Amino acid sequence: MQNKTRIIKNLNNLWKRSQFPSQHPIQISTIDKLIIFLICIVISIISSYEILLVQNLEGSDFLTWGINFSEVLFTCGFLILVSRKENPNINSRQILLIISLLLVVQMIKNIFGSGFSPLSIIIPPALIISQGMGTITALAWVSIASLSWPDSLTNINSNLLLITLICASVVSVLGGRIRSRAQLLQLSIFVPIGALISQWLLIGNEEYSFVDNQEIFTSNGKIFSDSLLLAIIMLITILFIPIFESIFGLLTKARLLELADKEKPLIRRLSIEAPGTFEHTLLICGLAEEATRMIGGDIDLIKTGSLYHDVGKLHAPNWFIENQDGGVNPHDEIDDPLKSAEVLQAHVDEGLKFARKNRLPKPIANFIPEHQGTLKMGYFLNKAEEKKLNFNESDFRYKGPIPQSKETAILMLADGCEAALRAMDINASDSEALVTISKIVNSRETDGQLSDSNLSKGEIFLIKKSFLNVWKRIRHRRIQYPTTKNNTFS
């Protein structure tokens, strides 16, 4: 009986893993781990050293210090764990940013104590973190940064800490969703106003009046000055966000939308020098965007990544069939499958060079090699077999890596399905289109291309259905208008 129960549990666990595979975080070097650990130690010391400043230290004081030190160190580790769980692709620079912001906050607390408003200390970093690393990480950071204060709550009004926590949580939630710089500016206005109203209702100030005393505009720690200072610091933070994006590799939604502008030089070049590739890119973008929306993925990321995934074809546009206007195919002229395979691999290698030259963020550059993964170059592999050449199968496989995220995996599937769906007869049934889609998707899955993508079985099913929905929209018929001399029909 126990054996049967164990077997059932094992099968259940296997089923769960197959439905919701876990994505392993990227590796961090030993040196980076050491630096991060040392910063966490410094934060713990800064947060707890005041306990040891009392006269006539006793054993209980050392015990209290040890407990406080351990708590802060544990919370730092918890924050890093949360950030890596929310975003497995987070790198060491971004973790250093999170921990460094916490260090700065703890230093400001000790230097200024209760003389500096918690609003101005906690909220601006929360905006940076939510924009670049996600809402959950920002909320965890806010919670940890709000825990330890050097002065007792008698020096800092508990209602003020509550208002700070609420405002910072609002910024964390909205900051992760904001998609433009204009919305950030609105946030920097409305949050201080909300903080001002909340302080006026919950705290009040009998010593100062808005009408009779202008000291309220400059007095640190007072209602109006706290909100005014918060607004100024938030505006300065917004100005510095692009610098943080560049230094720490943050990819905000506003940055993604800027990169997706079709007037960007690299995209504009693609539309002019490789128009067939550009049209192919737009069609893939439609498929990938719908599939990503269906599974709740990052739509802005895949929309931008799709636009740049084939920029490497700019190095030799006429070597790709979609850019040929019916002339001689260069592959037919060289008549060498191995060299043709090198040309195909070159569009990935050259694409990465374009990405570096144009300083594309790494998550966008990842779409260039991962959308091909280690797929076979089937056409030229068959040509090599027909010619009975001496070769290894690896000569006709892309170098990879295979997709490391859901978004790059969706793009790979969309890339494979786009041409097949476009080539289908307009009178083909939905079931025939679904069979074609399933055949392509299943072949990628069988070949191991999706094993690192974190796509579940249910999500793969939804992706197939979304591709079918897009195909049904683009296969519409057009009325055959009669031709006249004036051509007045439209």
Side-chain angles (χ1 to χ4, degrees):
M1 187 65 181
Q2 290 180 349
N3 289 336
K4 290 182 179 179
T5 305
R6 190 181 300 111
I7 291 171
I8 291 173
K9 285 184 178 179
N10 290 337
L11 289 174
N12 186 44
N13 291 334
L14 181 63
W15 169 252
K16 287 181 178 179
R17 285 198 299 271
S18 70
Q19 295 301 300
F20 303 98
S22 59
Q23 185 174 358
H24 300 290
I26 62 172
Q27 295 297 316
I28 296 177
S29 68
T30 304
I31 295 176
D32 289 337
K33 287 180 180 178
L34 181 60
I35 294 172
I36 293 169
F37 180 71
L38 290 175
I39 294 176
C40 292
I41 293 290
V42 173
I43 293 172
S44 302
I45 292 172
I46 290 175
S47 303
S48 59
Y49 81 96
E50 286 188 345
I51 298 172
L52 301 177
L53 296 181
V54 298
Q55 295 180 348
N56 302 321
L57 286 172
E58 299 178 357
S60 59
D61 294 323
F62 286 103
L63 180 61
T64 303
W65 174 82
I67 293 173
N68 191 276
F69 179 90
S70 301
E71 284 178 352
V72 176
L73 190 60
F74 173 79
T75 56
C76 290
F78 177 76
L79 177 59
I80 295 171
L81 179 63
V82 169
S83 66
R84 300 198 77 190
K85 279 291 184 181
E86 182 179 20
N87 182 10
N89 292 320
I90 192 170
N91 58 41
S92 56
R93 285 184 299 164
Q94 293 162 357
I95 294 175
L96 281 170
L97 173 62
I98 298 172
I99 298 299
S100 297
L101 287 173
L102 189 60
L103 173 63
V104 171
V105 165
Q106 293 302 102
M107 290 176 66
I108 292 174
K109 288 177 184 179
N110 280 276
I111 294 171
F112 295 99
S114 59
F116 205 86
S117 172
L119 289 167
S120 302
I121 300 175
I122 304 295
I123 294 177
L127 179 61
I128 296 172
I129 295 171
S130 64
Q131 275 277 287
M133 283 158 279
T135 296
I136 297 175
T137 302
L139 288 172
W141 187 93
V142 167
S143 302
I144 292 168
S146 303
L147 285 176
S148 177
W149 289 84
D151 295 302
S152 65
L153 291 179
T154 56
N155 292 327
I156 297 179
N157 192 296
S158 58
N159 286 334
L160 179 57
L161 286 177
L162 177 62
I163 293 169
T164 300
L165 189 60
I166 293 172
C167 290
S169 298
V170 169
V171 167
S172 299
V173 173
L174 295 181
R177 298 178 181 179
I178 282 176
R179 302 175 77 243
S180 70
R181 310 289 186 195
Q183 290 176 324
L184 282 175
L185 289 173
Q186 292 172 2
L187 191 67
S188 69
I189 294 172
F190 288 119
V191 168
I193 291 175
L196 174 63
I197 295 172
S198 299
Q199 287 183 93
W200 185 259
L201 294 175
L202 296 179
I203 301 173
N205 198 322
E206 297 179 357
E207 298 179 10
Y208 295 96
S209 165
F210 280 110
V211 178
D212 300 328
N213 199 323
Q214 293 186 356
E215 189 179 0
I216 192 171
F217 289 88
T218 56
S219 179
N220 188 31
K222 304 307 176 184
I223 291 177
F224 189 85
S225 60
D226 284 354
S227 301
L228 180 62
L229 183 61
L230 172 61
I232 293 171
I233 293 178
M234 286 189 71
L235 286 171
I236 294 172
T237 300
I238 292 170
L239 291 175
F240 277 92
I241 282 179
I243 298 175
F244 284 110
E245 289 173 351
S246 178
I247 296 174
F248 296 99
L250 302 181
L251 192 59
T252 63
K253 292 189 179 297
R255 176 67 172 147
L256 283 172
L257 292 178
E258 290 172 359
L259 289 171
D261 183 1
K262 294 183 181 64
E263 291 302 314
K264 285 288 180 181
L266 199 56
I267 301 299
R268 187 63 183 153
R269 273 193 63 191
L270 190 69
S271 66
I272 295 172
E273 299 176 28
T277 298
F278 181 68
E279 292 302 320
H280 157 79
T281 294
L282 295 181
L283 290 169
I284 286 179
C285 194
L287 286 169
E289 194 175 336
E290 181 68 20
T292 306
R293 183 176 288 107
M294 185 79 81
I295 68 167
D298 192 331
I299 297 172
D300 295 315
L301 176 62
I302 200 163
K303 182 190 296 183
T304 307
S306 299
L307 290 173
Y308 288 92
H309 81 282
D310 262 348
V311 292
K313 291 182 178 180
L314 283 171
H315 85 287
N318 62 315
W319 283 80
F320 299 90
I321 189 69
E322 67 268 19
N323 298 313
Q324 295 169 5
D325 56 0
V328 178
N329 190 331
H331 293 285
D332 294 335
E333 288 187 328
I334 62 172
D335 195 25
D336 187 339
L338 286 168
K339 289 185 178 179
S340 293
E342 290 175 2
V343 172
L344 293 189
Q345 176 58 47
H347 98 271
V348 173
D349 300 334
E350 294 296 323
L352 292 172
K353 290 179 183 178
F354 279 119
R356 286 191 292 271
K357 184 177 179 181
N358 289 269
R359 303 185 68 183
L360 293 181
K362 193 174 187 301
I364 300 300
N366 287 342
F367 280 86
I368 296 171
E370 290 179 21
H371 88 277
Q372 294 291 4
T374 56
L375 288 171
K376 292 179 184 177
M377 304 172 192
Y379 179 81
F380 295 112
L381 176 60
N382 292 334
K383 285 284 187 181
E385 290 173 346
E386 289 174 4
K387 289 176 173 291
K388 298 181 179 179
L389 299 178
N390 183 21
F391 65 90
N392 295 319
E393 188 183 272
S394 59
D395 296 331
F396 291 93
R397 278 190 180 271
Y398 287 98
K399 296 177 182 178
I402 61 175
Q404 301 296 302
S405 68
K406 292 181 180 181
E407 286 76 18
T408 54
I410 289 172
L411 187 65
M412 170 186 277
L413 299 178
D415 193 24
C417 291
E418 183 268 333
L421 290 174
R422 201 150 44 96
M424 289 192 70
D425 192 292
I426 194 172
N427 296 313
S429 65
D430 292 357
S431 59
E432 290 174 330
L434 187 57
V435 167
T436 301
I437 293 168
S438 298
K439 190 175 179 180
I440 294 171
V441 172
N442 293 341
S443 68
R444 302 291 191 268
E445 193 174 6
T446 304
D447 196 30
Q449 300 297 318
L450 306 181
S451 58
D452 290 346
S453 67
N454 202 32
L455 284 173
S456 69
K457 299 289 185 183
E459 287 172 333
I460 291 173
F461 172 77
L462 291 175
I463 290 168
K464 294 177 185 177
K465 294 292 290 183
S466 68
F467 287 171
L468 176 63
N469 292 337
V470 174
W471 176 76
K472 287 162 69 176
R473 293 203 297 263
I474 64 176
R475 65 161 181 169
H476 60 274
R477 295 173 179 271
R478 297 303 300 267
I479 297 173
Q480 187 66 40
Y481 292 106
T483 304
T484 66
K485 291 182 180 180
N486 296 327
N487 291 321
T488 57
F489 293 99
S490 60

